[in-house]
Amino acid sequence: MSEQDVVSYRVENRIAWVSFNRPEKRNCMSPTLNRRMMEVLDALEYSDDVGVLVLTGEGSAWSAGMDLKEYFRETEAKGLGAVRQSQREAYGWWRRLRWYQKPTIAMVNGWCFGGGYGPLFACDLAIAADEAEFGLSEINWGILPGGGATKVVVDLLSMRDAMYHALTGERIDGKTAAAWKLVNESVPRARLEERVTELANVLLGKNPVAIKAAKDAVRRVKEMTYDNAEDYLVRAQEAANFHDKTDGRKEGIRQFIDEKSYKPGLASYDLSRAASAPGHD
Ligand code: COA
């Protein structure tokens, strides 16, 4: 398999379907895969053809976490410099994904272990198959859940669930992952793509500048005091106004107040008419 093949992707109807593509290795993340994933994310991020990115896995796994052979053993054999480089490459693409320009959805089709929690958390939304299985398996092979995984469960789960998950290494299925809020929801495997497509289309129907501002705001304010958050949100909205060349918020108000063509409590304004709409200043 060539280096390019470890990540596959296609773009259809403004949805970029990006897949971990080492099914024979349960999509575990090698340094090669991490480097390739960064290239793919880079190529898609500002493409006009892409409005939403979905991250999924080929075969039975979403991702079986870090590659114990290539990421850990072989890299450690090369020394500390190589270890740090591998960490930078893995953490680098997860960070890139956390602050991605487009909204992102993790479509968790199967196994999701350990290091896989990094990209899982990096995606804005996550939909799992009921049949998917999640686990912090690190404890089973003698390490703590590193690479951000401990932070992910503490941020997303209750302390009791996070501690249980980290200390026992027991697996949970998609339904429990949804109940624990590790993912937004779970659906039968047979309905997974359909549900993710439906969700992606909801996101595609929103103002993209507002989506980027909102997703960053949700992550940023978590670490802020109320006053800092209040101020950040004012500045972020003012910056979004500057970046939104369609002046979407004025158009959104116009279609509701003047045209009465939709109700913001019930649906989105019609983006397709924003740029050329009368009343646009
Ligand atoms: N690192 C390195 N190799 C891995 C791997 C990983 N994280 N996960 C799977 N593989 C490899 C296996 O070694 C095997 O290689 P081989 O065909 O050369 O023998 C191949 O992928 C298939 O794995 P296998 O264990 O036979 O598949 P399975 O479907 O029976 O089991 C898992 C799937 C995910 C339960 C199992 O592979 C597993 O426990 N993987 C490790 C999970 C883990 O602890 N990840 C955390 C890392 S931070």
Side-chain angles (χ1 to χ4, degrees):
M1 179 173 280
S2 82
E3 182 148 332
Q4 304 283 309
D5 292 332
V6 294
V7 176
S8 62
Y9 68 93
R10 65 179 203 281
V11 179
E12 264 172 30
N13 304 321
R14 308 202 62 232
I15 305 172
W17 299 87
V18 178
S19 296
F20 295 107
N21 189 26
R22 298 178 79 204
E24 76 292 349
K25 296 288 182 188
R26 304 302 178 260
N27 298 324
C28 64
M29 290 174 271
S30 61
T32 304
L33 183 144
N34 292 328
R35 283 191 291 272
R36 182 61 190 145
M37 190 64 89
M38 182 64 115
E39 289 173 4
V40 169
L41 294 181
D42 199 31
L44 296 171
E45 186 163 18
Y46 293 96
S47 164
D48 289 339
D49 298 342
V50 176
V52 175
L53 183 141
V54 176
L55 182 60
T56 189
E58 292 296 331
S60 61
W62 191 70
S63 173
M66 308 322 291
D67 186 322
L68 270 59
K69 180 166 167 283
E70 293 185 36
Y71 181 85
F72 287 108
R73 193 164 66 186
E74 292 177 4
T75 305
E76 282 164 19
K78 292 182 196 155
L80 186 61
V83 169
R84 291 287 179 263
Q85 182 183 336
S86 291
Q87 289 166 338
R88 279 196 303 275
E89 288 166 352
Y91 303 167
W93 77 262
W94 304 345
R95 187 177 309 114
R96 181 74 177 269
L97 199 56
R98 283 202 299 282
W99 303 105
Y100 210 59
Q101 183 67 26
K102 311 290 169 63
T104 55
I105 305 172
M107 182 170 91
V108 186
N109 50 301
W111 305 113
C112 178
F113 286 110
Y117 283 38
L120 176 70
F121 178 73
C123 290
D124 302 320
L125 298 167
I127 310 290
D130 294 340
E131 300 88 337
E133 296 204 44
F134 298 79
L136 287 182
S137 52
E138 287 91 337
I139 204 73
N140 291 338
W141 62 277
I143 68 164
L144 61 75
T150 297
K151 175 69 173 156
V152 170
V153 293
V154 168
D155 271 7
L156 296 183
L157 313 184
S158 76
M159 182 60 85
R160 288 289 180 216
D161 289 338
M163 192 67 88
Y164 191 95
H165 207 48
L167 298 190
T168 67
E170 283 178 17
R171 281 165 287 120
I172 56 172
D173 64 10
K175 286 183 182 172
T176 305
W180 284 11
K181 305 298 180 197
L182 184 57
V183 298
N184 292 92
E185 61 185 78
S186 80
V187 296
R189 175 74 188 84
R191 276 208 59 229
L192 186 60
E193 273 192 45
E194 181 192 335
R195 174 63 187 126
V196 169
T197 304
E198 184 182 85
L199 180 58
N201 283 326
V202 169
L203 300 174
L204 287 172
K206 311 292 183 195
N207 180 318
V209 176
I211 286 270
K212 169 63 173 157
K215 59 178 260 179
D216 286 1
V218 169
R219 287 189 193 269
R220 291 282 183 213
V221 302
K222 192 157 194 301
E223 312 286 330
M224 293 180 190
T225 62
Y226 195 97
D227 277 354
N228 286 348
E230 205 174 57
D231 188 56
Y232 168 87
L233 294 168
V234 168
R235 310 294 151 207
Q237 183 55 53
E238 287 171 357
N241 295 347
F242 173 77
H243 282 295
D244 184 5
K245 301 306 176 207
T246 70
D247 247 345
R249 55 193 272 285
K250 289 186 183 166
E251 179 61 13
I253 294 173
R254 190 189 71 78
Q255 290 182 18
F256 175 49
I257 298 294
D258 302 334
E259 200 176 88
K260 300 194 185 304
S261 55
Y262 84 112
K263 295 177 194 288
L266 306 180
S268 248
Y269 74 95
D270 182 354
L271 293 184
S272 69
R273 293 186 296 127
S276 57
H280 208 271
D281 56 22

